[in-house]
Amino acid sequence: MNHSPSADSSMPLAARKIYVSLDTTARSKGSDNIATQVDKILSSQPDLAATLVRNGSRGMFWLEPLLEINTAKGRVAYGPVTPKDVSDIINQQCFDDVVEHPLCLGFTEELPWFKSQQRLTFARVGIIDPIDVDDYISHGGFVGLTNALAKTPQQLVDEVKDSGLRGRGGAAFPTGIKWQTVLDEPEQQKYIVCNADEGDSGTFADRMLMEGDPLVLVEGMIIAGLSVGANQGYIYLRSEYPQAQHILNQAIKNAKAAGYLGENICGSEHSFHLEVRLGAGAYICGEETSLLESLEGKRGLVRAKPPLPAIEGLFGQPTVVNNVISLASVPYILSHGGASYRDFGMGRSRGTLPIQLAGNIAQGGLVELAFGITLNELLQQYGNGCKSKRAMRSVQVGGPLGAYLPAEQWHTALDYEEFASIGAVLGHGGIVAFDDTVDMAAQARFAMEFCEVESCGKCTPCRIGSVRGVEVIDKIISTDNDEQQRQDSVNLLHDLCDTMEFGSLCAMGGMTPFPVRSALKYFPDDFLPQPSTEKAQ
Amino acid sequence: MAATNEQGLLQIATIIEQHQSLPGAMLPILHAIQDDLSFIPSNALPLIAKALNVSKAEVHGVISFYHHFRSEKPGTHVIEVCRGESCQAMGSRALEQNIKQRLAIDYHQTSKDRQYTLEPVYCLGNCACSPAMRIGDDIHGELDQQKFEQILESLNTYSLELK
């Protein structure tokens, strides 16, 4: 059955759109092949009068490749779609309402997984054409900037302080206070640096945002520039994100052409220049001082603080270094007011957190919610348990330097202070689930191994401690040692963890003990000598 | 460290000229050279050092610090297998052993026929669909041995078509 536009169709022809994501994960699941197929059908059936839009992802990755068709009543979703399904779907879907189809999921925004979220920062991700400035504006883009242009720098910083926004990179330092420090420095060359070196395993919120709504990051950085008096910004992007690089560069080019970047932005006396710089595969460059060294063209060695980067940062100048999500939250704060953002959340954790469900999880993806939801709710209601359909045994929150949490701690609410109180970190909001085949001694060993590979080498406890850590864990699990020797090695490991924690300049050496100690504490049986390989994966 | 020929040196000189006035030009120059030549030849070092007014040792120090930069020419396809925790949770430990066996090389090595170079990578941001690997600018997810074989086959088909 071929659908042809008719007089009774309530959808104007120009608005007929078919959406297929260009997000890295959607592409890894074959969305490019779907897009090619859509293109083929649209060009062979011009009477359909629809256009293909490559959008970001809605973040429901188990449903990718997702194909959406807009109707008079909202977007209808199909997924996961294979190329051979495309023709059927397009010809059956009538652009008016939901139709019967085995792959039809109904209206995208009515799907419970999506509908229950509080998407402030990700409001446009998966909805707009990421590099289309007009599409961005028609969905509320640049309202924050317009408001910002009418305010003084101090008013802008106050608004951000008022929002309660804390750095989403992991350290959770109040963004407004950081900005105040840079604003208070005398007028001189200042910089805005976006930390887009999202290296934690289990995190992809920055990537999704940069691929799905890069202009919100651009807008956030311009506002940061206005707030502290900086006219130059850099996005330090990890080289593992080629698609994000491609999209960011196009978005920056388009924003410049539309007068939002460069000299006299929006006809004002302000200027802001923005450039993407690529990292080169070094986890440590996600640490802000190491990142600055790298941007300056050096080895990414961590700097001692003080001086703070806010006072002596890039090229020795006052510099704001913020994570992608922190900066991308600013346009909302300026368009809706700091108080509106602060109304979300709990305790001292205000606003929303884009949470990433990863690892062995049935429904992996991005969930943006106000702080306060518990891990259990996320793992079960959103994640729907393990992908392997086995029992879930352990989750690691906050990346490779985050603690491993056993089931009895999953009642913990996502809140910076709640997590700190159980010796864990929320970090960048990545949650990696493991099923009951996991060997926690192997995970602890990997934490040390990762530190060995990625340590910048500046601090001895990190550089050498990590090597010793691997050796000591090997001794603990070895069947060659007697119980006394084993116990001695466990004590030595604790001692080593203390040395690393208190003797390292940054979180690399300082927090590698978190996953190690938590594995040892909550999963001690995994560290018993095991002659059989039954548990080893 | 491997060197390049006259042609390569000319390309390098052009790249340096295009980038040297950037603040913090070192990484952009190294990236551009590796993008063009697939590695950073040893005889590029004196040129970069001179242009940026630093010592050759400093240039070498930067190249050796970052996992991404290479001093040797890699195989036709660089296969980067993710070793991150999310991928481990989905069986990447066994997968990486199988891949090493299948290609008969370890990490940081190139196969005898110069087709493949195998590298570890720590997260590709594809963690909702682990395990993942990267070949060129393509990220592949939900890998298993069978899918790996299919991808390998498609690479061979592609390179044959080129010849």
Side-chain angles (χ1 to χ4, degrees):
Chain A
M1 179 196 82
N2 255 9
H3 172 79
S4 53
S6 53
D8 62 348
S9 171
S10 52
M11 173 67 59
L13 291 186
R16 293 188 162 188
K17 286 175 181 169
I18 297 172
Y19 297 84
V20 179
S21 177
L22 45 58
D23 174 278
T24 292
T25 299
R27 292 179 75 209
S28 85
K29 293 195 72 179
S31 70
D32 283 355
N33 295 336
I34 306 299
T36 307
Q37 194 62 23
V38 171
D39 245 346
K40 228 186 259 175
I41 291 164
L42 294 186
S43 49
S44 68
Q45 292 175 238
D47 58 324
L48 285 169
T51 51
L52 169 68
V53 178
R54 298 301 303 270
N55 56 345
S57 175
R58 298 277 190 162
M60 301 178 282
F61 287 122
W62 74 101
L63 295 176
E64 293 284 0
L66 190 78
L67 185 150
E68 288 178 279
I69 298 182
N70 68 337
T71 71
K73 295 178 180 169
R75 285 188 203 171
V76 177
Y78 295 82
V81 173
T82 66
K84 63 177 170 40
D85 301 319
V86 175
S87 174
D88 258 9
I89 293 172
I90 294 183
N91 284 311
Q92 214 173 313
Q93 180 62 47
C94 66
F95 294 96
D96 283 334
D97 205 342
V98 177
V99 295
E100 285 291 316
H101 189 282
L103 290 175
C104 185
L105 303 160
F107 293 109
T108 319
E109 279 155 34
E110 293 300 318
L111 295 172
W113 203 87
F114 192 82
K115 195 181 180 182
S116 57
Q117 298 192 32
Q118 292 154 311
R119 290 200 168 192
L120 308 184
T121 308
F122 276 71
R124 279 173 297 261
V125 175
I127 293 174
I128 61 166
D129 178 343
I131 55 166
D132 185 336
V133 176
D134 293 333
D135 209 6
Y136 179 69
I137 292 170
S138 68
H139 287 81
F142 289 127
V143 172
L145 176 62
T146 308
N147 293 346
L149 283 166
K151 290 179 188 270
T152 66
Q154 189 58 57
Q155 285 172 328
L156 291 174
V157 171
D158 288 342
E159 198 72 51
V160 174
K161 277 186 193 165
D162 203 30
S163 73
L165 177 66
R166 291 163 72 181
R168 295 287 187 260
F173 187 82
T175 306
I177 294 178
K178 195 183 265 186
W179 288 18
Q180 184 72 59
T181 312
V182 179
L183 172 62
D184 289 344
E185 286 297 297
E187 205 171 304
Q188 58 190 301
Q189 179 64 56
K190 297 177 184 179
Y191 296 102
I192 308 297
V193 171
C194 171
N195 183 345
D197 194 47
E198 185 180 47
D200 289 351
S201 173
T203 64
F204 44 81
D206 294 354
R207 180 188 61 66
M208 265 187 76
L209 186 111
M210 292 185 286
E211 293 175 356
D213 190 14
L215 289 166
V216 77
L217 174 59
V218 172
E219 184 182 351
M221 290 185 73
I222 301 170
I223 296 171
L226 295 175
S227 304
V228 302
N231 66 0
Q232 175 70 50
Y234 291 102
I235 299 173
Y236 184 88
L237 178 71
R238 61 201 301 261
S239 58
E240 290 84 345
Y241 284 180
Q243 178 73 342
Q245 182 198 8
H246 176 66
I247 294 171
L248 276 172
N249 279 328
Q250 285 188 355
I252 289 172
K253 196 174 144 208
N254 293 350
K256 199 171 174 186
Y260 290 97
L261 285 172
E263 302 292 332
N264 305 110
I265 44 173
C266 305
S268 73
E269 76 276 22
H270 302 284
S271 306
F272 195 74
H273 304 272
L274 185 54
E275 198 184 316
V276 177
R277 286 290 178 91
L278 272 196
Y283 177 77
I284 194 61
C285 289
E287 197 284 332
E288 61 175 1
T289 62
S290 164
L291 185 157
L292 294 174
E293 289 285 302
S294 183
L295 260 183
E296 290 180 7
K298 302 173 195 157
R299 293 163 68 89
L301 289 187
V302 170
R303 295 178 187 170
K305 288 190 270 195
L308 293 171
I311 292 163
E312 263 182 57
L314 186 62
F315 304 115
Q317 301 300 117
T319 304
V320 167
V321 187
N322 278 150
N323 168 258
V324 173
I325 303 297
S326 314
L327 288 163
S329 300
V330 169
Y332 177 91
I333 292 166
L334 263 298
S335 60
H336 294 73
S340 157
Y341 189 78
R342 196 186 55 220
D343 283 345
F344 293 86
M346 69 176 275
R348 287 172 51 218
S349 305
R350 310 312 312 176
T352 58
L353 181 68
I355 300 147
Q356 301 118 90
L357 295 176
N360 197 333
I361 195 95
Q363 298 184 162
L366 185 118
V367 183
E368 182 176 349
L369 282 172
F371 287 92
I373 187 170
T374 67
L375 264 178
N376 253 330
E377 288 171 289
L378 282 164
L379 295 168
Q380 298 310 326
Q381 286 170 28
Y382 288 92
N384 200 23
C386 277
K387 197 185 242 179
S388 61
K389 299 203 164 51
R390 298 181 67 101
M392 199 179 286
R393 182 161 180 248
S394 171
V395 299
Q396 186 178 31
V397 184
L401 308 177
Y404 282 101
L405 307 176
E408 62 260 34
Q409 291 185 328
W410 299 347
H411 60 82
T412 311
L414 268 76
D415 166 88
Y416 294 119
E417 279 67 41
E418 292 275 312
F419 263 63
S421 74
I422 59 163
V425 287
L426 209 44
H428 187 49
I431 299 176
V432 178
F434 292 81
D435 72 10
D436 59 358
T437 62
V438 67
D439 176 352
M440 292 306 296
Q443 295 310 124
R445 187 185 188 280
F446 177 79
M448 286 291 189
E449 191 188 346
F450 180 68
C451 183
E452 182 186 335
V453 174
E454 297 295 342
S455 172
C456 82
K458 183 158 183 158
C459 309
T460 314
C462 175
R463 183 183 70 244
I464 296 179
S466 53
V467 181
R468 293 285 175 259
V470 171
E471 292 169 2
V472 175
I473 294 173
D474 280 343
K475 273 188 194 165
I476 295 173
I477 55 179
S478 163
T479 49
D480 299 337
N481 297 319
D482 61 30
E483 184 50 32
Q484 184 56 50
Q485 284 170 317
R486 207 184 81 82
Q487 200 49 56
D488 287 348
S489 297
V490 171
N491 293 340
L492 190 61
L493 182 59
H494 280 297
D495 197 40
L496 178 64
C497 282
D498 287 344
T499 308
M500 288 176 74
E501 182 177 352
F502 300 114
S504 309
L505 274 177
C506 83
M508 182 86 239
M511 284 172 59
T512 291
F514 282 43
V516 176
R517 283 200 197 109
S518 56
L520 200 56
K521 183 172 176 187
Y522 297 110
F523 306 92
D525 291 352
D526 289 26
F527 289 81
L528 294 174
Q530 289 171 25
S532 85
T533 52
E534 195 191 324
K535 284 206 87 175
Q537 231 185 338
Chain B
M1 287 178 87
T4 185
N5 55 20
E6 280 300 312
Q7 171 65 31
L9 284 175
L10 275 177
Q11 280 174 264
I12 291 167
T14 312
I15 288 169
I16 292 175
E17 205 184 302
Q18 284 167 348
H19 294 85
Q20 72 180 92
S21 61
L22 288 175
M26 180 77 85
L27 266 69
I29 288 175
L30 296 176
H31 270 298
I33 292 174
Q34 184 159 306
D35 285 350
D36 266 21
L37 302 175
S38 77
F39 72 114
I40 297 160
S42 55
N43 45 353
L45 268 63
L47 301 178
I48 301 168
K50 185 158 183 266
L52 299 184
N53 198 23
V54 294
S55 76
K56 273 187 292 179
E58 277 172 90
V59 183
H60 175 75
V62 171
I63 295 169
S64 60
F65 182 85
Y66 296 95
H67 301 308
H68 177 79
F69 295 131
R70 275 190 289 271
S71 300
E72 303 291 337
K73 199 169 174 62
T76 312
H77 307 289
V78 178
I79 301 178
E80 296 174 274
V81 180
C82 181
R83 295 196 68 210
E85 285 86 349
S86 176
C87 288
Q88 291 171 24
M90 288 305 291
S92 68
R93 284 172 191 253
L95 182 72
E96 60 181 336
Q97 291 314 318
N98 289 337
I99 291 176
K100 286 178 187 175
Q101 239 166 24
R102 171 66 179 79
L103 302 177
I105 44 174
D106 204 340
Y107 282 133
H108 314 298
Q109 292 180 349
T110 299
S111 61
K112 272 195 187 135
D113 61 3
R114 308 279 318 158
Q115 277 293 299
Y116 310 108
T117 296
L118 192 62
E119 295 287 349
V121 66
Y122 295 90
C123 198
L124 294 164
N126 203 36
C127 319
C129 295
S130 296
M133 73 171 176
R134 173 180 178 180
I135 303 176
D137 278 352
D138 291 327
I139 314 287
H140 304 272
E142 293 181 343
L143 279 183
D144 54 25
Q145 193 60 26
Q146 194 190 349
K147 195 167 172 191
F148 178 77
E149 288 297 334
Q150 284 168 1
I151 294 165
L152 215 53
E153 203 171 300
S154 70
L155 288 179
N156 288 328
T157 320
Y158 181 64
S159 57
L160 281 176
E161 278 172 4
L162 276 180
K163 287 170 196 166

